[in-house]
Amino acid sequence: MKPIHANQLLAGLALAEPDPITEVVTDSRKVVPGCVFVCFPGERVDGHDYAAAAYRAGASYIIANHPVEGVPEDRTVIVPSSHHAMVRMASNYRMLFSPLMIGVTGSVGKTTTKEFCYAVLSAFGNTLKTEGNQNNEIGLPNTLFRLDDATEYAVVEMGMSNLGEIERLTRAARPAAGIITRIGVSHLENLGSRENILKAKLEICYGLPDGAPLVLNADDDMLPKAKLPGRLRPVWFGIDSSDADVRALNITAGDSGTDFLLSDREYGEFPVHIPTVGLHTVSDALAAYGAATRLGLDPARCAAALSNYQTTGMRQNIVRKAGITIIEDCYNASPDSMRAALGVLESQEADRHIALLGDMLELGSVSEEAHRQVGEWAAEAGVDLLIAYGPRSAAMAQAAAGKGVTTLHCETEQEVVGYVRQNVHAGDALLAKASHAMKLDQVLEQFYKTLA
């Protein structure tokens, strides 16, 4: 973080002295002299309990929801929401810099699209990106706080769980282009309907300048019907839709990834290779290309740079161990992403195709129906064995069994580790996918130890 005067950083939150602020931290273990420490109340840990120690350790200001004993009044900034305060400080800090920035949101594919954007933008200069899945009202500010004078390009991911969140994030980030990947059913539990999810994702428009490109999925069933602000420039990408401005044609998958012909109505055609499999990743690559080119970057270089994509963590990562092909996709799950991942499993050459699928969370009233649908998709994808993990996945297992799939269901980590050890052997292809809270990454780590 570039040093910034406290009165600039805290503008809109409090009157402050022009002291130099060197960091904004939310973890008391990372407090350094001259930082701002932000208190977040939590179910297990309350940051307010560490505020006095943070002040003694050199924090210049404490962001808190109430007065804290041991912290002087003139060094306490009392706010109703620590999350909103983080976003406001990030917005103030963002004003110091002018990188060419892309903002990414959507129900499915945000992180993969962000990584494709990073691959493209990095071909043109120093690029900042959201690390991992840090896309909320703490993660996005922390990304913006990493901006410095050397940053030429940036791509930020914006997630949400309720209406209003993306509006706050995008007004802080102020991207030059926006991407909406797809409207799914994630967060249906909070938002109640896909129409509200669409409304929430369209909040990205609030942070875009007049004339900015808004890159949208033409294959989505809701986005083409959405009412878009006339001040923005829609750019449509797709595989199936003939109306898309940017399309992928002649798609072929191989061991090293996927090849296709990128057809751009504005700039022509380019052969593309991406080191991923699955049609969903082709869509994500198209979105990144569409945003970068409409910001004025050279189309041929953008298309070529898509090949520089790198998988992060256990997210759509294919590894081979002890003769087993393993598709690590443990970071998140929704019905749409489950179906896409099953397509990747189906494409793998193997003696048997085994799916280890866990609960999908935050689906609200459609949860049971969605899990049943995934079980039916597993059967359609030719899965030989389904290991369903978690209480919600009982419906998935039942539906798959009804379609003739050999199915095992378990509700504890110990059970699922045991089932995987007993049933996955050399020559098999294994897909592991669930919501991150199911901790399938830990299951795989335990399984890998038995293969050493």
Side-chain angles (χ1 to χ4, degrees):
M1 182 176 182
K2 178 181 178 179
I4 179 175
H5 290 140
N7 57 329
Q8 289 180 279
L9 183 67
L10 299 174
L13 297 174
L15 296 175
E17 299 296 325
D19 305 336
I21 300 299
T22 57
E23 297 285 346
V24 175
V25 299
T26 59
D27 185 337
S28 61
R29 295 168 294 185
K30 297 181 180 179
V31 169
V32 294
C35 75
V36 169
F37 175 66
V38 186
C39 303
F40 282 93
E43 294 181 3
R44 291 180 296 177
V45 177
D46 188 342
H48 294 84
D49 296 338
Y50 302 89
Y55 177 71
R56 291 194 299 270
S60 292
Y61 288 89
I62 304 295
I63 306 290
N65 305 149
H66 53 73
V68 178
E69 185 177 352
V71 181
E73 183 178 349
D74 65 341
R75 293 291 161 170
T76 306
V77 179
I78 298 179
V79 297
S81 168
S82 301
H83 292 87
H84 294 183
M86 280 285 288
V87 175
R88 182 55 185 263
M89 287 188 291
S91 178
N92 293 337
Y93 183 76
R94 164 72 173 86
M95 293 176 67
L96 301 179
F97 310 97
S98 54
L100 196 64
M101 182 183 294
I102 298 173
V104 182
T105 192
S107 299
V108 183
K110 289 189 297 296
T111 300
T112 304
T113 301
K114 178 255 300 183
E115 293 296 335
F116 271 117
C117 287
Y118 179 75
V120 172
L121 295 176
S122 295
F124 294 87
N126 188 299
T127 303
L128 174 73
K129 68 173 179 176
T130 300
E131 294 295 342
N133 196 34
Q134 298 298 304
N135 59 25
N136 61 14
E137 291 180 310
I138 299 176
L140 182 132
N142 282 334
T143 298
L144 295 181
F145 290 140
R146 290 167 43 222
L147 288 166
D148 60 31
D149 292 329
T151 308
E152 300 171 87
Y153 302 93
V155 53
V156 294
E157 183 179 332
M158 288 177 276
M160 60 86 201
S161 56
N162 285 291
L163 290 167
E165 292 180 19
I166 290 179
E167 178 178 355
R168 286 189 290 274
L169 297 179
T170 190
R171 287 190 186 278
R174 294 191 297 283
I179 297 173
I180 303 178
T181 60
R182 187 176 289 276
I183 306 302
V185 295
S186 298
H187 307 301
L188 197 60
E189 187 171 14
N190 289 343
L191 293 173
S193 69
R194 290 186 71 215
E195 287 73 20
N196 278 341
I197 294 172
L198 172 64
K199 182 179 178 181
K201 300 303 182 182
L202 285 171
E203 289 176 4
I204 195 173
C205 299
Y206 289 115
L208 297 174
D210 290 350
L214 176 61
V215 181
L216 304 142
N217 190 339
D219 294 334
D220 187 77
D221 66 326
M222 296 191 75
L223 284 170
K225 305 171 189 175
K227 184 177 180 180
L228 306 175
R231 65 183 187 83
L232 301 179
R233 178 163 50 109
V235 180
W236 296 95
F237 68 91
I239 297 173
D240 299 323
S241 174
S242 59
D243 295 327
D245 301 297
V246 178
R247 293 188 68 191
L249 307 174
N250 305 330
I251 302 170
T252 58
D255 291 340
S256 64
T258 305
D259 294 284
F260 60 91
L261 181 68
L262 190 155
S263 177
D264 184 342
R265 285 184 176 176
E266 188 166 340
Y267 297 116
E269 296 182 341
F270 307 94
V272 171
H273 173 80
I274 55 175
T276 61
V277 292
L279 292 179
H280 57 297
T281 65
V282 174
S283 288
D284 298 338
L286 295 176
Y289 166 91
T293 55
R294 271 49 179 188
L295 287 176
L297 300 182
D298 180 75
R301 289 178 64 188
C302 289
L306 292 170
S307 66
N308 296 329
Y309 170 90
Q310 294 184 356
T311 300
T312 58
M314 286 190 176
R315 186 190 302 273
Q316 299 177 352
N317 187 37
I318 299 178
V319 299
R320 291 174 174 82
K321 295 179 181 289
I324 304 168
T325 300
I326 302 144
I327 305 166
E328 302 174 336
D329 203 352
C330 306
Y331 207 86
N332 214 336
S334 67
D336 290 328
S337 65
M338 282 284 200
R339 188 173 197 177
L342 285 165
V344 175
L345 175 64
E346 185 179 15
S347 71
Q348 302 300 306
E349 291 188 9
D351 297 335
R352 295 186 306 156
H353 294 83
I354 301 172
L356 166 58
L357 306 180
D359 287 357
M360 302 175 289
L361 307 180
E362 299 183 350
L363 297 181
S365 61
V366 304
S367 179
E368 182 173 351
E369 178 186 351
H371 283 84
R372 286 187 177 279
Q373 183 70 77
V374 170
E376 293 175 3
W377 287 336
E380 293 173 7
V383 168
D384 297 293
L385 171 64
L386 170 65
I387 303 174
Y389 172 36
R392 296 170 181 82
S393 293
M396 182 194 302
Q398 185 180 44
K403 294 287 187 178
V405 179
T406 301
T407 305
L408 299 168
H409 179 249
C410 48
E411 295 198 13
T412 69
E413 183 175 317
Q414 292 75 18
E415 280 184 298
V416 75
V417 170
Y419 281 142
V420 172
R421 286 174 175 170
Q422 294 167 18
N423 291 281
V424 182
H425 309 293
D428 294 338
L430 171 69
L431 164 67
K433 186 168 181 63
S435 286
H436 188 54
M438 299 303 292
K439 300 181 179 179
L440 282 190
D441 53 335
Q442 296 182 13
V443 171
L444 287 183
E445 287 173 4
Q446 292 184 60
F447 176 55
Y448 290 160
K449 290 177 182 178
T450 68
L451 302 177

